[in-house]
Amino acid sequence: MLKSKTFLKKTRAGGVMKIVREHYLRDDIGCGASGCAACGGAHEGPALEPQPQDPASSLCPQPHYLLPDTNVLLHQIDVLEDPAIRNVIVLQTVLQEVRNRSAPVYKRIRDVTNNQEKHFYTFTNEHHRETYVEQEQGENANDRNDRAIRVAAKWYNEHLKKMSADNHLQVIFITNDRKNKEKAVEEGIPAFTCEEYVKSLTANPELIDRLACLSEEVNEIENGKIIFSEHLPLSKLQQGIKSGTYLQGTFRASRENYLEATVWIHGDNEENKEIILQGLKHLNRAVHEDIVAVELLPKSQWVAPSSVVLQDEGQNEEDVEKEEERERMLKTAVSEKMLKPTGRVVGIIKRNWRPYCGMLSKSDIKESRRHLFTPAEKRIPRIRIETRQASTLEGRRIIVAIDGWPRNSRYPNGHFVRNLGDVGEKETETEVLLLEHDVPHQPFSQAVLSFLPKMPWSITEKDMKNREDLRHLCVCSVDPPGCTDIDDALHCRELENGNLEVGVHIADVSHFIRPGNALDQESARRGTTVYLCEKRIDMVPELLSSNLCSLKCDVDRLAFSCIWEMNHNAEILKTKFTKSVINSKASLTYAEAQLRIDSANMNDDITTSLRGLNKLAKILKKRRIEKGALTLSSPEVRFHMDSETHDPIDLQTKELRETNSMVEEFMLLANISVAKKIHEEFSEHALLRKHPAPPPSNYEILVKAARSRNLEIKTDTAKSLAESLDRAESPTFPYLNTLLRILATRCMMQAVYFCSGMDNDFHHYGLASPIYTHFTSPIRRYADVIVHRLLAVAVGADSTYPELTDKHKLADICKNLNFRHKMAQYAQRASVAFHTQLFFKSKGIVSEEAYILFVRKNAIVVLIPKYGLEGTVFFEEKDKPNPRLIYDDEIPSLKIEDTVFHVFDKVKVKIMLDSSNLQHQKIRMSLVEPQIPGISIPTDTSNTDLNGPEKKKIKLGK
C-alpha cells in the first residue's frame, strides 16, 4: 500500500516547487514473537521469546514483553542494558527519535538489539499497515509520536491474543510521561512508569540503584536553600551569544582546585580566549567538558589563577559556609598584570556527561541510602547517589552516571551503573583506565565480524588484479620482540645498472576494510590500537591484525609497496607505488637483525639486504639532521613480567639499537613520499600530519636550565635547536645531553592530522619536512587506512567513493583521530604508572640516584634514569613545620634552609608506594641526599612498610 504526501516548497530563486513524499505500508511485517501463528513468525534479527518467564513482576505476574517510549530509552538505558531485562520491543518511531537526540544511546541500543540473549526486537511500526498513524491537523510531532507508540502497544496486545486461545501474553507500555500514561490506561493499555515497574521486580532489587533520577524538583534536598542561580534557557543564551553579551566555550575544571575552572572560548575571540571562573556560584553546576555560556565580569572583579591546592573532602554536602571561607583563600593580593578575564556560567548549551569510574564515600549516617560517590577523575564533582548496596560497594571501583543537578544541591544527583571490582586489582584498574580515557574496548560485534573474510583464506585471481607479484624479492620484517601485528617489511637489492632498489612493503589493510561497512565504521571510531603494558586493544579484529594483514614470514600476504631506485648516496632517482603480493623471508627482532648486520660469518641474502638498508639509513639520517630534524629523548620503560602472576618483576628503560633507527628512516621516507603523491593528486582532500613549531615561550625552561650549566641553547629555528643540542656536551656529566633532550621534548607541541584543503601550514617541525603523512601502520592507525585509499585511487589500484573527496568529512575524521591518539597516549601512561606501582608494591622501598628536571616553589621534579621514572619530592607537609624555602624563577633554583637545588643537579631519593588513599595510590619520593636536617629521610628505612602501622616513621612528601 502506498501513501503519498504532497507539499509546496519555495526555492531560493523565488519559485515554487511541488514535492511528493511516498510512504510504503506493508502487511507482512512480523511482530517478532517466536512461533507467532498470526504473522507466521516472520521477523528479522533476534526474536522475542514465546513465553518469557523473567523478570518476575509483582505488578504484572503473567508473561509479558516491554514496550518503552523514547524518554525511557534515552534516560534509563542503564536499566535496559541489565541482563535481567529481556524481551523488549523497540519501535521504529522510538529508535528514530533516539537517533536524532543522542548518538551514544542510539549506539548502545543497537548493540543491545544485536545481542541475541537479550531478545530485543525492532518493530518497524511506521511501515506497518495497522500501526502507521498520520499527523492530525493541529497535532505537533511529539504528540503524533506519542499516539503512534500507543497505537503500536494496543495493536500488539490485540495481535498476541491471536497467537493461541490460552495465551496470556501482554505488552506493558513503559513511560515516565504522566499524560501519555493516563491516555494509555484510558485506551486499555497496561502502562507503568519505569520506576514502578523496576520496583515491582522482587527478584532484582539491585536494579533500583540503576534508575536515573530525572525530576530535579523531586530529588532536591528537603528544605535545601538555593545555592546556585538559575540557568538561562537555550533561546536566551543563543541571543546573548549572537549579541556578544555572553561567550560560548568549553568548561575545563581544575585538577588541583575544585573551586576553579577555565572556559576556552570558541571561535576567533583572541581578546578573551580563556576565561577564569572562581567559586561555586560562578561555576554554577557546570561539569568538566560541558559547553557553556559565560558572562564576563567587570574588570574590577577579575582575579588571578590561584596557586592554592584544594581538594573537595567534605562529607557534609550542605556546608556552604565552609566553601565561602575557602573561596576567600583564593583571592590573594596580586599585581594587576596577573589578573585574567573572569566570568560566571549563566547557562549550559550542551552537557557532555559520561559514565564516571570511582569509589563510594559511604555516609556516616547508619542505614542511610544516600551516599556520595568520588570520581577517579579529580575534575569531576562528587555525585550523590542512592543505593542499598553501600556495604558491598565499599572498597570497590564502580561506575556512576549523572542525572541532573538541582539548584539547591551542593552536588549533582546520579545513579549506580555497575560494579567493576576490587580497587587495586589488575583487571579492575585496567578497565578503569580504559573507561576513563574513553578507549573503545568492547569485543567486536557480530555485525563487524560479519565483514571479515571467510576462512580458510587465500589469494584469488581477482585479488591479483592491479597488483604486482613481488614474492620473489628477499623481503623481511624487523620489529620489537613478541610483535604479532606486523605492518611493514623491507627489501634492498642491487640492480643491473649498479643502483639500489629499496622497497617498503606495508600491509594492505584497505583491501579487507571496505568503505562504509560496519568493520570500517568501527575501525574509524576506534582510530588507533592502544598498547597497554600487558594488553593490546586492537583497532581491527584479530583475524586481520595478527593473521591475514600481518606480514609474517613464509606466507603470501597482500601489501602496498613503495619502491625507490636509489644511488649509493641514498638519493632517490625513481619512485613507484604499487599494490603487491609479498612473501616475507624472515620476521626478525631488532636484536636479531643487529646480530646479522654485525656478524662477519653471515652473508646470506637477508643479511646482505639488511646491511644495504642500514648503510643507506645512516646516510638518510645524517641528511635529515643536517636539514634541522630534531633528535629528542623521552625515557621509555619496559616491564619484565612474572610468567605466572603477570606482575612486573623488573623495570628498565628500553634499549635502542641501530636497527631501530634503520627501520625508522625508511618508514619516514615512505611517509614523506606518499604525502607528496597524495597531495599532488588530491590537493584539497589529502589526509596529512603536521607538527607546529612551539611558541618561543615554550622554550624558556630549556634555555634557563642550559644557562645554569653555562650552555647556550638557540631556539629560533629547528635547525639551530638541533645544532645547539648537539653542542651541549659536558665531559664530566655525560647524561646532561640526554636530560636536555628530554626537557626539549616537553617544550614541543602535539603533532596532529589535518585535511590539506582546510589548512595552509603543512610543515612538520620535528622532522624538518615540508609535508608528511602516516602510511606505514594501517593495522594500528585508521589515518593510514584513509591514506592507503587515497594512494590507491591516485595509482589506479582502487576506486574512489564520495566521503573520500569530501574535505569536511575528512576534517571530522581527523578530529576524531587526534582525540583517539591523545587518549591512547594518556591511557598508555596510566598503564605504565599502575604497573610501576605494582612493581614498587612488591619491591618495597628503594633508594636510587636521580636528576632534577624542574624546580618548583615547594618541590623538585626528578628523573630516575635506571627506571625511566619521574616523580616529585615535596618539601612541605601537612601538620608539620614548613622549612625555609626561597624560589628563584629566573635561574631557576630552590633554596631549602642552606642547600640550593638547580635543574640537572644529582640527588638521591627513596621511592615507595603510598596506599593511604585507596583511590589515588601513588609513588612517593623523598630526599635522601644531600642531607638536610629535618627534610632528608634516614637511610635505614628500607624495610618499612608504608601501608602498615610503621608508616609514620618515614617523612613523607605532601
mmCIF file of all heavy atoms in Angstrom, residues 148-175:
data_model
loop_
_atom_site.group_PDB
_atom_site.id
_atom_site.type_symbol
_atom_site.label_atom_id
_atom_site.label_comp_id
_atom_site.label_asym_id
_atom_site.label_seq_id
_atom_site.Cartn_x
_atom_site.Cartn_y
_atom_site.Cartn_z
ATOM 1 N N ALA A 148 1.441 7.352 18.104
ATOM 2 C CA ALA A 148 1.927 6.204 17.310
ATOM 3 C C ALA A 148 2.414 5.086 18.221
ATOM 4 O O ALA A 148 2.182 3.896 17.948
ATOM 5 C CB ALA A 148 3.050 6.673 16.382
ATOM 6 N N ILE A 149 3.068 5.456 19.329
ATOM 7 C CA ILE A 149 3.583 4.449 20.272
ATOM 8 C C ILE A 149 2.409 3.728 20.945
ATOM 9 O O ILE A 149 2.418 2.497 21.089
ATOM 10 C CB ILE A 149 4.515 5.116 21.318
ATOM 11 C CG1 ILE A 149 5.773 5.665 20.626
ATOM 12 C CG2 ILE A 149 4.912 4.130 22.418
ATOM 13 C CD1 ILE A 149 6.612 6.616 21.488
ATOM 14 N N ARG A 150 1.364 4.500 21.333
ATOM 15 C CA ARG A 150 0.195 3.876 21.981
ATOM 16 C C ARG A 150 -0.547 2.967 21.002
ATOM 17 O O ARG A 150 -0.991 1.871 21.370
ATOM 18 C CB ARG A 150 -0.752 4.957 22.519
ATOM 19 C CG ARG A 150 -0.201 5.769 23.670
ATOM 20 C CD ARG A 150 -1.306 6.525 24.410
ATOM 21 N NE ARG A 150 -2.116 7.377 23.551
ATOM 22 C CZ ARG A 150 -1.794 8.625 23.195
ATOM 23 N NH1 ARG A 150 -0.657 9.161 23.651
ATOM 24 N NH2 ARG A 150 -2.588 9.337 22.424
ATOM 25 N N VAL A 151 -0.657 3.409 19.750
ATOM 26 C CA VAL A 151 -1.334 2.582 18.721
ATOM 27 C C VAL A 151 -0.597 1.261 18.557
ATOM 28 O O VAL A 151 -1.212 0.187 18.489
ATOM 29 C CB VAL A 151 -1.416 3.354 17.378
ATOM 30 C CG1 VAL A 151 -1.779 2.414 16.214
ATOM 31 C CG2 VAL A 151 -2.435 4.482 17.475
ATOM 32 N N ALA A 152 0.736 1.309 18.523
ATOM 33 C CA ALA A 152 1.534 0.079 18.367
ATOM 34 C C ALA A 152 1.378 -0.826 19.582
ATOM 35 O O ALA A 152 1.248 -2.057 19.440
ATOM 36 C CB ALA A 152 3.004 0.446 18.165
ATOM 37 N N ALA A 153 1.350 -0.238 20.788
ATOM 38 C CA ALA A 153 1.198 -1.037 22.018
ATOM 39 C C ALA A 153 -0.161 -1.731 22.025
ATOM 40 O O ALA A 153 -0.266 -2.922 22.381
ATOM 41 C CB ALA A 153 1.351 -0.140 23.237
ATOM 42 N N LYS A 154 -1.204 -0.994 21.618
ATOM 43 C CA LYS A 154 -2.562 -1.563 21.595
ATOM 44 C C LYS A 154 -2.644 -2.677 20.552
ATOM 45 O O LYS A 154 -3.212 -3.755 20.811
ATOM 46 C CB LYS A 154 -3.572 -0.458 21.284
ATOM 47 C CG LYS A 154 -5.013 -0.881 21.513
ATOM 48 C CD LYS A 154 -5.950 0.303 21.494
ATOM 49 C CE LYS A 154 -7.365 -0.145 21.865
ATOM 50 N NZ LYS A 154 -8.302 0.982 21.935
ATOM 51 N N TRP A 155 -2.035 -2.438 19.378
ATOM 52 C CA TRP A 155 -2.048 -3.453 18.306
ATOM 53 C C TRP A 155 -1.360 -4.734 18.782
ATOM 54 O O TRP A 155 -1.868 -5.841 18.552
ATOM 55 C CB TRP A 155 -1.331 -2.903 17.059
ATOM 56 C CG TRP A 155 -1.202 -3.946 15.977
ATOM 57 C CD1 TRP A 155 -2.130 -4.269 15.032
ATOM 58 C CD2 TRP A 155 -0.084 -4.817 15.769
ATOM 59 N NE1 TRP A 155 -1.676 -5.298 14.232
ATOM 60 C CE2 TRP A 155 -0.411 -5.659 14.658
ATOM 61 C CE3 TRP A 155 1.139 -4.995 16.384
ATOM 62 C CZ2 TRP A 155 0.442 -6.636 14.169
ATOM 63 C CZ3 TRP A 155 1.997 -5.960 15.898
ATOM 64 C CH2 TRP A 155 1.667 -6.776 14.818
ATOM 65 N N TYR A 156 -0.248 -4.588 19.472
ATOM 66 C CA TYR A 156 0.494 -5.751 19.962
ATOM 67 C C TYR A 156 -0.373 -6.593 20.905
ATOM 68 O O TYR A 156 -0.429 -7.819 20.788
ATOM 69 C CB TYR A 156 1.771 -5.307 20.695
ATOM 70 C CG TYR A 156 3.035 -5.566 19.895
ATOM 71 C CD1 TYR A 156 3.694 -4.525 19.252
ATOM 72 C CD2 TYR A 156 3.563 -6.848 19.787
ATOM 73 C CE1 TYR A 156 4.849 -4.754 18.514
ATOM 74 C CE2 TYR A 156 4.716 -7.087 19.047
ATOM 75 C CZ TYR A 156 5.359 -6.037 18.409
ATOM 76 O OH TYR A 156 6.493 -6.276 17.672
ATOM 77 N N ASN A 157 -1.051 -5.925 21.844
ATOM 78 C CA ASN A 157 -1.856 -6.680 22.803
ATOM 79 C C ASN A 157 -2.994 -7.430 22.123
ATOM 80 O O ASN A 157 -3.312 -8.563 22.489
ATOM 81 C CB ASN A 157 -2.398 -5.750 23.902
ATOM 82 C CG ASN A 157 -1.361 -5.531 25.002
ATOM 83 O OD1 ASN A 157 -0.741 -6.486 25.475
ATOM 84 N ND2 ASN A 157 -1.142 -4.280 25.383
ATOM 85 N N GLU A 158 -3.598 -6.785 21.112
ATOM 86 C CA GLU A 158 -4.678 -7.466 20.376
ATOM 87 C C GLU A 158 -4.116 -8.579 19.506
ATOM 88 O O GLU A 158 -4.685 -9.667 19.399
ATOM 89 C CB GLU A 158 -5.439 -6.443 19.522
ATOM 90 C CG GLU A 158 -6.304 -5.518 20.375
ATOM 91 C CD GLU A 158 -6.842 -4.322 19.601
ATOM 92 O OE1 GLU A 158 -6.539 -4.216 18.382
ATOM 93 O OE2 GLU A 158 -7.534 -3.482 20.218
ATOM 94 N N HIS A 159 -2.971 -8.324 18.879
ATOM 95 C CA HIS A 159 -2.337 -9.298 17.982
ATOM 96 C C HIS A 159 -1.899 -10.554 18.746
ATOM 97 O O HIS A 159 -2.078 -11.683 18.261
ATOM 98 C CB HIS A 159 -1.130 -8.637 17.313
ATOM 99 C CG HIS A 159 -0.334 -9.556 16.440
ATOM 100 N ND1 HIS A 159 -0.712 -9.876 15.150
ATOM 101 C CD2 HIS A 159 0.821 -10.248 16.681
ATOM 102 C CE1 HIS A 159 0.173 -10.702 14.632
ATOM 103 N NE2 HIS A 159 1.119 -10.949 15.544
ATOM 104 N N LEU A 160 -1.350 -10.365 19.953
ATOM 105 C CA LEU A 160 -0.836 -11.517 20.709
ATOM 106 C C LEU A 160 -1.948 -12.446 21.177
ATOM 107 O O LEU A 160 -1.701 -13.630 21.424
ATOM 108 C CB LEU A 160 0.004 -11.026 21.908
ATOM 109 C CG LEU A 160 1.330 -10.337 21.552
ATOM 110 C CD1 LEU A 160 2.016 -9.791 22.798
ATOM 111 C CD2 LEU A 160 2.281 -11.278 20.812
ATOM 112 N N LYS A 161 -3.165 -11.894 21.313
ATOM 113 C CA LYS A 161 -4.305 -12.750 21.705
ATOM 114 C C LYS A 161 -4.593 -13.788 20.627
ATOM 115 O O LYS A 161 -5.158 -14.844 20.890
ATOM 116 C CB LYS A 161 -5.551 -11.885 21.933
ATOM 117 C CG LYS A 161 -5.507 -11.092 23.236
ATOM 118 C CD LYS A 161 -6.702 -10.166 23.344
ATOM 119 C CE LYS A 161 -6.565 -9.241 24.549
ATOM 120 N NZ LYS A 161 -7.577 -8.154 24.511
ATOM 121 N N LYS A 162 -4.211 -13.473 19.357
ATOM 122 C CA LYS A 162 -4.477 -14.383 18.234
ATOM 123 C C LYS A 162 -3.491 -15.544 18.191
ATOM 124 O O LYS A 162 -3.659 -16.483 17.418
ATOM 125 C CB LYS A 162 -4.391 -13.615 16.903
ATOM 126 C CG LYS A 162 -5.385 -12.467 16.784
ATOM 127 C CD LYS A 162 -5.117 -11.676 15.510
ATOM 128 C CE LYS A 162 -5.907 -10.373 15.489
ATOM 129 N NZ LYS A 162 -5.493 -9.517 14.355
ATOM 130 N N MET A 163 -2.377 -15.432 19.011
ATOM 131 C CA MET A 163 -1.351 -16.486 18.971
ATOM 132 C C MET A 163 -1.946 -17.842 19.356
ATOM 133 O O MET A 163 -1.705 -18.852 18.719
ATOM 134 C CB MET A 163 -0.177 -16.136 19.901
ATOM 135 C CG MET A 163 0.806 -15.176 19.266
ATOM 136 S SD MET A 163 2.164 -14.744 20.358
ATOM 137 C CE MET A 163 3.120 -16.261 20.407
ATOM 138 N N SER A 164 -2.738 -17.863 20.445
ATOM 139 C CA SER A 164 -3.454 -19.089 20.841
ATOM 140 C C SER A 164 -4.525 -18.690 21.840
ATOM 141 O O SER A 164 -4.439 -17.647 22.486
ATOM 142 C CB SER A 164 -2.491 -20.097 21.473
ATOM 143 O OG SER A 164 -1.979 -19.591 22.683
ATOM 144 N N ALA A 165 -5.540 -19.541 21.992
ATOM 145 C CA ALA A 165 -6.692 -19.226 22.841
ATOM 146 C C ALA A 165 -6.293 -19.052 24.302
ATOM 147 O O ALA A 165 -6.844 -18.210 25.014
ATOM 148 C CB ALA A 165 -7.738 -20.319 22.705
ATOM 149 N N ASP A 166 -5.333 -19.859 24.761
ATOM 150 C CA ASP A 166 -4.946 -19.789 26.180
ATOM 151 C C ASP A 166 -3.732 -18.895 26.416
ATOM 152 O O ASP A 166 -3.080 -18.976 27.444
ATOM 153 C CB ASP A 166 -4.670 -21.195 26.725
ATOM 154 C CG ASP A 166 -3.571 -21.906 25.926
ATOM 155 O OD1 ASP A 166 -3.256 -21.408 24.822
ATOM 156 O OD2 ASP A 166 -3.037 -22.921 26.425
ATOM 157 N N ASN A 167 -3.456 -18.049 25.451
ATOM 158 C CA ASN A 167 -2.282 -17.172 25.587
ATOM 159 C C ASN A 167 -2.600 -15.978 26.493
ATOM 160 O O ASN A 167 -3.578 -15.277 26.289
ATOM 161 C CB ASN A 167 -1.857 -16.677 24.199
ATOM 162 C CG ASN A 167 -0.642 -15.768 24.291
ATOM 163 O OD1 ASN A 167 0.271 -16.027 25.065
ATOM 164 N ND2 ASN A 167 -0.655 -14.703 23.522
ATOM 165 N N HIS A 168 -1.752 -15.769 27.532
ATOM 166 C CA HIS A 168 -1.958 -14.631 28.439
ATOM 167 C C HIS A 168 -0.851 -13.594 28.301
ATOM 168 O O HIS A 168 -0.638 -12.777 29.177
ATOM 169 C CB HIS A 168 -2.021 -15.126 29.891
ATOM 170 C CG HIS A 168 -3.150 -16.067 30.135
ATOM 171 N ND1 HIS A 168 -4.472 -15.684 30.034
ATOM 172 C CD2 HIS A 168 -3.158 -17.396 30.445
ATOM 173 C CE1 HIS A 168 -5.243 -16.717 30.290
ATOM 174 N NE2 HIS A 168 -4.471 -17.775 30.535
ATOM 175 N N LEU A 169 -0.139 -13.650 27.178
ATOM 176 C CA LEU A 169 0.961 -12.709 26.955
ATOM 177 C C LEU A 169 0.445 -11.274 26.869
ATOM 178 O O LEU A 169 -0.569 -11.012 26.217
ATOM 179 C CB LEU A 169 1.656 -13.047 25.635
ATOM 180 C CG LEU A 169 3.073 -13.615 25.682
ATOM 181 C CD1 LEU A 169 3.538 -13.905 24.281
ATOM 182 C CD2 LEU A 169 4.044 -12.666 26.357
ATOM 183 N N GLN A 170 1.158 -10.366 27.526
ATOM 184 C CA GLN A 170 0.794 -8.950 27.473
ATOM 185 C C GLN A 170 1.976 -8.113 27.033
ATOM 186 O O GLN A 170 3.133 -8.511 27.216
ATOM 187 C CB GLN A 170 0.391 -8.478 28.879
ATOM 188 C CG GLN A 170 -1.086 -8.610 29.175
ATOM 189 C CD GLN A 170 -1.432 -7.828 30.435
ATOM 190 O OE1 GLN A 170 -0.684 -7.832 31.401
ATOM 191 N NE2 GLN A 170 -2.564 -7.143 30.415
ATOM 192 N N VAL A 171 1.675 -6.944 26.478
ATOM 193 C CA VAL A 171 2.727 -5.955 26.219
ATOM 194 C C VAL A 171 2.521 -4.810 27.203
ATOM 195 O O VAL A 171 1.440 -4.211 27.263
ATOM 196 C CB VAL A 171 2.689 -5.450 24.764
ATOM 197 C CG1 VAL A 171 3.561 -4.212 24.594
ATOM 198 C CG2 VAL A 171 3.162 -6.545 23.824
ATOM 199 N N ILE A 172 3.544 -4.547 28.012
ATOM 200 C CA ILE A 172 3.472 -3.493 29.022
ATOM 201 C C ILE A 172 4.139 -2.231 28.452
ATOM 202 O O ILE A 172 5.294 -2.276 28.032
ATOM 203 C CB ILE A 172 4.226 -3.907 30.314
ATOM 204 C CG1 ILE A 172 3.734 -5.255 30.827
ATOM 205 C CG2 ILE A 172 4.113 -2.818 31.379
ATOM 206 C CD1 ILE A 172 2.347 -5.250 31.386
ATOM 207 N N PHE A 173 3.393 -1.142 28.444
ATOM 208 C CA PHE A 173 3.910 0.138 27.963
ATOM 209 C C PHE A 173 4.626 0.831 29.128
ATOM 210 O O PHE A 173 4.050 1.034 30.190
ATOM 211 C CB PHE A 173 2.740 0.979 27.433
ATOM 212 C CG PHE A 173 3.111 2.356 26.953
ATOM 213 C CD1 PHE A 173 4.299 2.594 26.254
ATOM 214 C CD2 PHE A 173 2.266 3.440 27.180
ATOM 215 C CE1 PHE A 173 4.630 3.860 25.806
ATOM 216 C CE2 PHE A 173 2.578 4.712 26.730
ATOM 217 C CZ PHE A 173 3.770 4.923 26.052
ATOM 218 N N ILE A 174 5.932 1.176 28.924
ATOM 219 C CA ILE A 174 6.719 1.838 29.968
ATOM 220 C C ILE A 174 6.953 3.291 29.558
ATOM 221 O O ILE A 174 7.577 3.561 28.527
ATOM 222 C CB ILE A 174 8.086 1.128 30.178
ATOM 223 C CG1 ILE A 174 7.889 -0.365 30.484
ATOM 224 C CG2 ILE A 174 8.884 1.811 31.288
ATOM 225 C CD1 ILE A 174 7.243 -0.666 31.819
ATOM 226 N N THR A 175 6.414 4.213 30.362
ATOM 227 C CA THR A 175 6.585 5.642 30.059
ATOM 228 C C THR A 175 6.659 6.434 31.365
ATOM 229 O O THR A 175 5.996 6.090 32.343
ATOM 230 C CB THR A 175 5.429 6.180 29.182
ATOM 231 O OG1 THR A 175 5.631 7.576 28.974
ATOM 232 C CG2 THR A 175 4.068 5.962 29.829
#
